[in-house]
Amino acid sequence: MLKKIGLKLLTNYIMLVERLRFPIVVLFLISSIGAGLYTVNNLGMNTDTREMLSPELPWRQLDLNYEKHFPQFLDTILVVTEATTPDQASDAATLLNRKFQEQSEWFENIYYPRALPIFREDALLFLSTDKLYELSDNLAKIQPFLTRLTDDMSIRGLFNMISDAMDAIEDGEDFDIVPLIQELNKGAASIINNTPYRVSWQNLIDAETSAGDSIYRDFIILQPVLDPDAMLPADRAIEIIRDIAVSEDITSTGATVRLTGSEVLAQEELLSVSRGTELAIILSLCLVTIIMLTGIRSVRLVSYTLITLVTGLLFTAAFATFAIGELNLISVAFAVLYIGLGIDFAIHYTLRYRELINQGNANHMAIEESSRNLGQSLIICTITTSVGFFAFVPTDYQGVAELGLISGVGMFISLFVTLTLLPAILGLFPLKANATPTRKPINSFGLAISNFPVSHNGMIKIITLICVITGGIAFTKIRFDHNILNLQDPNNESVQTYVDLLKDSETSPWNGVIVTDNRDDAINTREKIRNSPVVDSVIWLEDFVPDDQDEKLFIIDEMNLLVAGGFTNTQLSQELNSNDKLAILSDFINTHTASTLVQNSPEIATFMTNLGRFHEQLQSASQQQRDIKLNKFSITMLASLPGRLEQLNASLNADYVSLESLPDEMTARWLSPHGNYLLNITPAEDLNESAAMRDFVEELYDLDSRLTGPPVINIEAGDAVISAFKQALTYAIIAIAGILLILLPRKIDAILCMAALMFAVIVTGGISVLFDIPLNFANIIALPLLLGIGVDSAIHILHRFRTALPDDKNVLATSSARAVIVSTFTTMGSIGNLAFSPHTGTASMGKLLTIGIGMTLVATLVVLPGLLAEKNNQA
């Protein structure tokens, strides 16, 4: 009864479209233009990955609580200066911080810890007592020479200091000049090789700093002023940071400036996704057009199909704008998915229409029959495909839920456009009868191929069973990649910088965080978790009050007396010209090259050799080149010294540090206005490894369930997405199976159809394991979606097999099979372009969907016909 009513309604609708074909075309033209303008002017973009999962989840509540109490850590840009010496890294950061302060209108907050009084004047108090004694002894050894140098901070003073030291050693004094000579030799070698370097006086003052990493880093944390109406809210601030780094020529000092942090990661990810999506849309349209021209072999029909496609795409975009208002980093892929899937209906329609035209039917009869014959199957396909998308809507994964809603509604839009606009266009601009050649008989080879699934259905069933068993075993080994960094383009500067920081627990941004209720709670919680094997350290506010301050202040006072209250001159001398510098260099070389000390010390001999090579370069250079080289020599040897002297002078004025004396801007990062203390937990392992990340989170969760921070978000978000995947897959299987059982007259057809689909899903999962394509936050939609995509083709083959089978009983020789092949290849050609996206997550979605769609084609044209074959046809 329902079927008859539905068929009558469809027939009436077809007749209405035929009568109103011209107004329909005009109305669709005007509406599509309006939809496009509405979308362009109103559709936004949300790059905040935190909002892609429901805020009602318990771990999201903890994260939101953390953000409420400590908003300073939100929407940040981390400026990282890197160099081969601590001096270069620190000087570059100091310069940048000064320039940022000059343009503070672009930043809500500028936080450079080294600029705070506690780290500038009280820095020595944070050293251990033993380390401070060592520093004092080292300063005592080099104090006479530093004093001599500060009296004349020029090349002349430098070489006079070295000469005095060498003379003292030759006179029998016990003084180790080798560390100084080795450091100066690095500067000399850099001049000869024309590479940026500055002698590290910090390493000379504090010998232990040179014993650590080969890369030294300094950090500035910025909160940019965001433009809420811009697609890239922090773009202007990021542009200013990069402009400052270029204008100050930071790289010439031997330092580099790298940007990371949530805002830069989000911006570069959006740009990667946008570039990949834009390229995919263009390539999709091109490939879809080429494939359709090959399969349909009619420029006119391809043009009509493309018009239908673009119209539906504009309507779907307008719906997304109206219903949601903004796209996220996953839902932005709806356009490529629509191109790949929305074109299917039009392809089936045009191929059936052409088949009827070629059989000699009048145009209006071909349109009516195509609409009537395909309308039922297209409606079923729309429902089942949309179910694959809608299955994600009830889940907590809002990012994919929005994609599911947009694309699911898009399928109904595609159906509406296909059964309305396309027939109206064909009515106005028809193909003439016999305008294209009738179908040529299939040759013997083609006939054998098309008959293969039926004639060899026994073998097909056995192979299918083997594939399902093998794929099922592999399916159980599918893994989920919780690391959100692995979704992004690995060539992005922000990603590379972030990964480098993760390798060191002292610089890792992926720390655990616990917001405690009060001081007593903070003390108890810290004590409870600090000895965990996954924890490197637990930092809180009171760690910034140094221990043993009385003894340390006594040592610092002695150091202050040693240097007579500090070094009064911290400015480089500018009085020497190039000729003076050349003369000083020549005199030093001539005086010391043949000395006994040089002959007995390989380090000093190497230094003298490099000075000689530099002197030779100067002799052969023009006056202009000589001036440049000598000026560069002075900068390389002495430029970092003033900053170290100023730093040392400031640190010799240390005073007692208490909680009350801590700077307000630092205290606010550890103690909220409501009295909540923040505990920052650094991991003992590199959390870029998923196993280490999970161990870190689970171990600490057992100790305190209030844990939050990036590692928790990664693990919990991944688990939430996996749960959403299981829900969506279950919903899709139940819903699609139920729809097929209700709408298909033969219940066995529903069972066979689902069997073919499950073959495609299981084998796709097995192939993903074989090629090491893990599930992630982006591609996890693939498997539930395959059910909706694959069922379309299966329904068309079933419908043709049961209602309009040709005389030779070969369903694979019909226009329906051709339409399935063409539509599948257009879908693969469209969605497959995502595999070339620079955004790794989007690319993995493209790869998995392409593999899966290929498997649905096998299921539809090989497995399903083999299952449909009657017993008397079995081989």
Side-chain angles (χ1 to χ4, degrees):
M1 184 67 178
L2 288 176
K3 182 178 179 181
K4 291 181 178 179
I5 294 173
L7 189 59
K8 184 174 180 60
L9 289 174
L10 180 61
T11 302
N12 292 336
Y13 185 76
I14 295 167
M15 295 174 64
L16 179 65
V17 170
E18 185 178 357
R19 286 199 301 270
L20 300 176
R21 53 184 180 269
F22 181 75
I24 286 174
V25 171
V26 173
L27 181 61
F28 269 83
L29 175 62
I30 296 173
S31 299
S32 61
I33 294 173
L37 293 174
Y38 173 72
T39 301
V40 170
N41 292 324
N42 296 281
L43 185 61
M45 186 73 191
N46 186 356
T47 60
D48 191 345
T49 55
R50 295 170 299 186
E51 296 184 13
M52 292 173 62
L53 284 154
S54 171
E56 302 304 319
L57 292 168
W59 60 271
R60 280 284 284 133
Q61 290 290 308
L62 289 172
D63 187 48
L64 291 172
N65 181 59
Y66 165 55
E67 294 173 359
K68 180 182 75 173
H69 288 296
F70 298 98
Q72 304 94 326
F73 299 104
L74 286 176
D75 306 322
T76 57
I77 297 173
L78 182 62
V79 181
V80 184
T81 58
E82 294 183 344
T84 53
T85 69
D87 314 52
Q88 292 168 292
S90 178
D91 287 347
T94 300
L95 174 60
L96 289 174
N97 179 60
R98 186 168 67 248
K99 294 298 179 181
F100 296 156
Q101 297 291 348
E102 293 174 1
Q103 300 199 46
S104 59
E105 67 273 16
W106 295 104
F107 306 102
E108 296 282 357
N109 183 267
I110 302 172
Y111 185 68
Y112 178 44
R114 288 185 186 273
L116 299 176
I118 187 173
F119 294 118
R120 188 175 65 250
E121 298 171 2
D122 303 311
L124 296 180
L125 290 175
F126 291 93
L127 300 176
S128 68
T129 304
D130 291 342
K131 172 62 178 170
L132 194 54
Y133 273 120
E134 291 177 13
L135 179 61
S136 177
D137 293 341
N138 195 48
L139 182 61
K141 293 178 182 178
I142 67 170
Q143 182 271 337
F145 301 100
L146 276 179
T147 301
R148 176 69 185 274
L149 179 56
T150 55
D151 289 340
D152 181 9
M153 290 180 62
S154 66
I155 292 299
R156 178 178 56 210
L158 175 66
F159 283 124
N160 284 340
M161 180 194 72
I162 299 172
S163 294
D164 289 348
M166 293 175 69
D167 291 343
I169 294 172
E170 289 182 338
D171 290 340
E173 293 188 27
D174 183 17
F175 184 75
D176 186 7
I177 198 177
V178 169
L180 171 64
I181 294 299
Q182 287 179 321
E183 184 62 33
L184 293 175
N185 188 52
K186 292 178 183 177
S190 74
I191 294 295
I192 295 170
N193 298 319
N194 196 31
T195 56
Y197 186 80
R198 289 187 179 179
V199 167
S200 175
W201 292 93
Q202 178 66 40
N203 281 344
L204 293 172
I205 294 172
D206 182 7
E208 284 198 8
T209 61
S210 62
D213 295 336
S214 58
I215 296 294
Y216 295 86
R217 297 186 175 97
D218 208 348
F219 305 93
I220 304 173
I221 303 172
L222 305 173
Q223 270 190 314
V225 174
L226 302 178
D227 182 354
D229 298 322
M231 183 170 288
L232 303 173
D235 185 55
R236 182 56 182 150
I238 293 172
E239 182 182 358
I240 287 171
I241 295 169
R242 297 194 191 280
D243 287 346
I244 289 174
V246 172
S247 64
E248 297 302 320
D249 199 15
I250 298 295
T251 55
S252 69
T253 68
T256 58
V257 179
R258 304 168 74 187
L259 303 185
T260 188
S262 60
E263 283 303 311
V264 187
L265 284 165
Q267 176 161 314
E268 292 193 346
E269 182 172 25
L270 175 58
L271 291 174
S272 295
V273 170
S274 299
R275 286 194 300 268
T277 303
E278 289 170 3
L279 178 62
I281 290 174
I282 295 171
L283 290 177
S284 294
L285 289 172
C286 294
L287 280 175
V288 164
T289 302
I290 293 171
I291 293 170
M292 286 195 301
L293 285 171
T294 304
I296 298 177
R297 291 179 289 185
S298 169
V299 174
R300 180 179 292 186
L301 289 181
V302 169
S303 301
Y304 299 164
T305 303
L306 288 175
I307 292 171
T308 305
L309 172 67
V310 173
T311 302
L313 181 58
L314 290 173
F315 286 172
T316 304
F319 167 78
T321 306
F322 173 77
I324 299 174
E326 59 186 16
L327 300 176
N328 59 58
L329 293 173
I330 293 179
S331 63
V332 72
F334 88 90
V336 177
L337 292 175
Y338 183 89
I339 293 172
L341 300 175
I343 196 73
D344 287 1
F345 297 166
I347 289 174
H348 281 280
Y349 193 99
T350 52
L351 283 175
R352 181 60 175 154
Y353 166 79
R354 192 187 68 173
E355 183 180 43
L356 291 168
I357 287 291
N358 289 343
Q359 291 174 0
N361 292 284
N363 188 65
H364 73 279
M365 291 299 296
I367 294 173
E368 289 180 14
E369 181 61 25
S370 296
S371 299
R372 188 178 295 107
N373 185 262
L374 287 175
Q376 299 175 64
S377 59
L378 290 181
I379 291 171
I380 298 174
C381 289
T382 301
I383 295 172
T384 53
T385 302
S386 62
V387 162
F389 286 111
F390 288 148
F392 274 100
V393 174
T395 69
D396 292 323
Y397 195 6
Q398 292 185 350
V400 174
E402 291 176 3
L403 174 64
L405 178 62
I406 296 169
S407 298
V409 172
M411 292 300 97
F412 284 96
I413 292 174
S414 179
L415 173 69
F416 172 65
V417 174
T418 300
L419 292 181
T420 307
L421 178 60
L422 186 55
I425 294 174
L426 290 170
L428 290 175
F429 309 101
L431 284 181
K432 294 181 180 179
N434 299 322
T436 55
T438 57
R439 181 167 65 95
K440 296 179 180 180
I442 301 177
N443 59 38
S444 57
F445 177 76
L447 185 63
I449 293 296
S450 63
N451 274 324
F452 185 86
V454 175
S455 60
H456 295 78
N457 67 85
M459 180 172 57
I460 294 295
K461 292 173 183 176
I462 294 172
I463 294 174
T464 299
L465 181 61
I466 293 172
C467 289
V468 168
I469 294 173
T470 305
I473 294 172
F475 198 94
T476 61
K477 298 180 181 180
I478 289 181
R479 63 184 180 88
F480 185 89
D481 187 355
H482 289 79
N483 192 335
I484 59 174
L485 284 180
N486 292 338
L487 295 178
Q488 299 200 34
D489 183 352
N491 295 316
N492 284 347
E493 177 192 69
S494 59
V495 175
Q496 292 177 341
T497 305
Y498 211 91
V499 170
D500 288 344
L501 296 180
L502 285 174
K503 295 175 182 177
D504 185 352
S505 62
E506 293 185 3
T507 61
S508 174
W510 277 359
N511 297 332
V513 172
I514 296 177
V515 179
T516 60
D517 297 331
N518 50 54
R519 184 175 182 274
D520 290 340
D521 183 22
I523 292 172
N524 294 332
T525 304
R526 180 172 179 268
E527 194 62 33
K528 181 170 57 176
I529 63 179
R530 65 188 302 182
N531 294 322
S532 170
V534 299
V535 172
D536 181 67
S537 64
V538 182
I539 303 171
W540 73 311
L541 179 64
E542 295 188 13
D543 286 326
F544 296 97
V545 178
D547 298 328
D548 304 321
Q549 292 192 57
D550 291 333
E551 183 177 0
K552 292 176 181 177
L553 287 170
F554 176 77
I555 300 171
I556 293 171
D557 285 341
E558 287 189 329
M559 294 169 63
N560 203 359
L561 290 173
L562 180 67
V563 296
F567 299 96
T568 55
N569 179 30
T570 60
Q571 300 298 317
L572 294 178
S573 172
Q574 304 294 333
E575 65 180 55
L576 299 178
N577 58 37
S578 295
N579 292 331
D580 294 333
K581 294 176 183 178
L582 181 59
I584 291 166
L585 177 62
S586 300
D587 182 62
F588 180 83
I589 293 173
N590 293 333
T591 302
H592 294 286
T593 297
S595 70
T596 304
L597 182 61
V598 173
Q599 303 301 322
N600 294 333
S601 172
E603 293 83 6
I604 300 177
T606 300
F607 176 57
M608 296 302 296
T609 299
N610 282 333
L611 288 181
R613 292 175 60 192
F614 177 56
H615 188 267
E616 291 175 1
Q617 288 183 354
L618 294 175
Q619 294 294 340
S620 60
S622 65
Q623 184 62 47
Q624 182 180 13
Q625 291 175 328
R626 188 179 303 166
D627 293 344
I628 294 173
K629 286 180 177 293
L630 284 167
N631 182 61
K632 186 176 180 181
F633 183 78
S634 299
I635 292 174
T636 298
M637 294 297 181
L638 298 169
S640 69
L641 180 58
R644 306 297 75 71
L645 295 177
E646 291 172 358
Q647 184 179 337
L648 182 59
N649 285 343
S651 65
L652 293 176
N653 294 319
D655 198 359
Y656 192 85
V657 175
S658 65
L659 285 173
E660 292 73 21
S661 67
L662 294 177
D664 291 341
E665 59 184 304
M666 188 181 79
T667 301
R669 304 177 82 83
W670 298 93
L671 176 61
S672 78
H674 301 94
N676 304 90
Y677 282 78
L678 182 71
L679 301 183
N680 188 72
I681 308 158
T682 59
E685 302 291 336
D686 178 5
L687 296 193
N688 203 33
E689 299 294 330
S690 294
M693 189 191 304
R694 181 169 288 279
D695 289 343
F696 178 77
V697 171
E698 291 181 350
E699 172 78 17
L700 292 181
Y701 252 155
D702 290 340
L703 298 174
D704 198 304
S705 60
R706 295 172 297 177
L707 181 73
T708 185
V712 177
I713 292 173
N714 280 2
I715 292 296
E716 290 290 355
D719 290 348
V721 168
I722 293 172
S723 176
F725 160 72
K726 291 178 180 178
Q727 281 182 264
L729 189 59
T730 302
Y731 295 158
I733 291 173
I734 294 173
I736 291 174
I739 291 168
L740 292 177
L741 286 170
I742 293 171
L743 297 181
L744 293 180
R746 299 179 182 228
K747 307 311 174 189
I748 187 63
D749 286 352
I751 296 172
L752 295 178
C753 185
M754 287 303 299
L757 290 178
M758 294 311 298
F759 161 84
V761 171
I762 292 172
V763 173
T764 299
I767 293 175
S768 71
V769 173
L770 179 64
F771 289 97
D772 193 25
I773 305 175
L775 296 180
N776 56 47
F777 292 89
N779 69 15
I780 199 164
I781 69 170
L783 296 182
L785 186 56
L786 285 179
L787 292 172
I789 296 173
V791 75
D792 285 7
S793 298
I795 289 171
H796 286 298
I797 294 298
L798 275 170
H799 184 75
R800 189 61 181 264
F801 186 86
R802 297 301 186 191
T803 62
L805 198 63
D807 295 336
D808 58 7
K809 309 297 183 184
N810 188 352
V811 71
L812 297 186
T814 64
S815 63
S816 296
R818 175 182 283 273
V820 165
I821 295 171
V822 175
S823 64
T824 301
F825 276 103
T826 55
T827 302
M828 292 175 67
S830 174
I831 296 176
N833 286 301
L834 292 174
F836 301 100
S837 171
H839 186 260
T840 307
T842 303
S844 68
M845 179 168 64
K847 292 175 185 176
L848 198 55
L849 279 172
T850 301
I851 293 170
I853 293 168
M855 288 301 101
T856 63
L857 182 64
V858 174
T860 302
L861 298 185
V862 179
V863 176
L864 183 59
L867 296 176
L868 286 169
E870 297 181 7
K871 292 181 180 180
N872 58 0
N873 289 329
Q874 293 179 3

